[in-house]
Amino acid sequence: MTQEHVFPPAIESSAPFASYPVTFVGSFPDATHRLEPKLTEIAMLGRSNVGKSSLINALFGRTLARVSNSPGRTGHVNVFRLPDLYLLDLPGYGFARVSLSERRRYQQLVQGLLEKRMTLSGVLWLLDIRHDPSAEDRAYGDLLASRRMPVLVALTKGDKLPFAQRQKRRRELHALLALPDEQVQLTSSATGEGIAELGQSLLAAAHPGRKASS
């Protein structure tokens, strides 16, 4: 477990969570590790190269998560705390430059958390807008559906496609995922597209009606 570290507000940033102090609570190998005090818990789920670290840093307006050139380096559950919300950054699934045994451990940790963590409030599921859901993506989607877990999909790397094409891909993925329109949001950590709206959605999960600072 990593010792707690508090990041002060990012005063000069316009990111949705920039005005909040954030605590890195720790890095845990146990899917059922107890968090105190009890707050809304949102897990961040996605493939190892989907851009989770970049999205976290874009939401907070400062470098909280390490962006690695080697996908799959998050091997534990990394927990960040806002005043009223925990974000649980899960190990990425799929491709990772680690051993097969480590990949299996990652899979067991992620599946164990999604299946057994009774305090989990919802999941922010990251999918690369350029690709259709893989067999592994679909398996996790089925798992979330079986638990009736509230899900918000962030389509990442929107800047990699021209405007018209990314709008088309959003419609296609929305149809493939069979989720309500408001549960599929287009984002880009590079340009900031959709980041403010995503922040508002995450805060609404903790306190309906509250908006992120701008």
Side-chain angles (χ1 to χ4, degrees):
M1 171 180 162
T2 306
Q3 188 175 5
E4 284 193 2
H5 179 80
V6 178
F7 295 84
I11 299 172
E12 297 180 359
S13 173
S14 61
F17 297 159
S19 64
Y20 296 104
V22 58
T23 300
F24 175 62
V25 177
S27 186
F28 307 102
D30 180 4
T32 58
H33 180 86
R34 192 173 185 176
L35 296 173
E36 293 290 348
K38 292 181 180 179
L39 302 172
T40 299
E41 296 180 7
I42 305 294
M44 296 185 68
L45 173 71
R47 292 180 63 82
S48 56
N49 56 353
V50 78
K52 278 197 287 97
S53 295
S54 296
L55 186 66
I56 290 172
N57 295 337
L59 284 167
F60 286 94
R62 61 212 118 147
T63 303
L64 270 61
R66 178 171 174 261
V67 180
S68 176
N69 290 326
S70 298
R73 293 302 189 184
T74 302
H76 294 80
V77 179
N78 292 329
V79 181
F80 300 93
R81 178 188 167 186
L82 286 161
D84 301 305
L85 174 70
Y86 290 115
L87 285 181
L88 283 60
D89 180 19
L90 306 185
Y93 56 83
F95 172 78
R97 290 177 183 168
V98 295
S99 68
L100 181 59
S101 62
E102 276 294 276
R103 264 187 266 179
R104 286 173 177 162
R105 185 180 67 79
Y106 290 6
Q107 183 182 37
Q108 290 171 354
L109 179 59
V110 173
Q111 288 186 347
L113 186 141
L114 297 176
E115 291 173 349
K116 301 174 184 177
R117 190 171 184 87
M118 294 299 102
T119 53
L120 189 62
S121 308
V123 171
L124 175 61
W125 189 16
L126 279 62
L127 295 172
D128 190 325
I129 192 172
R130 299 170 296 176
H131 309 297
D132 287 350
S134 66
E136 199 165 12
D137 289 325
R138 292 193 295 271
Y140 277 109
D142 291 342
L143 173 58
L144 295 172
S146 71
R147 270 206 68 184
R148 298 186 179 181
M149 181 64 63
V151 176
L152 176 63
V153 173
L155 301 178
T156 63
K157 305 187 181 184
D159 56 286
K160 301 295 185 181
L161 298 176
F163 178 80
Q165 191 174 352
R166 63 180 179 264
Q167 296 300 323
K168 178 176 179 288
R169 285 295 297 155
R170 184 193 178 282
R171 292 191 296 270
E172 291 172 348
L173 288 167
H174 168 247
L176 284 172
L177 295 167
L179 290 171
D181 185 69
E182 65 273 11
Q183 287 179 235
V184 182
Q185 297 189 4
L186 176 63
T187 69
S188 168
S189 299
T191 66
E193 181 178 9
I195 298 299
E197 293 80 2
L198 183 61
Q200 290 173 4
S201 295
L202 291 172
L203 284 185
H207 291 282
R210 179 185 295 185
K211 293 186 177 181
S213 299
S214 57

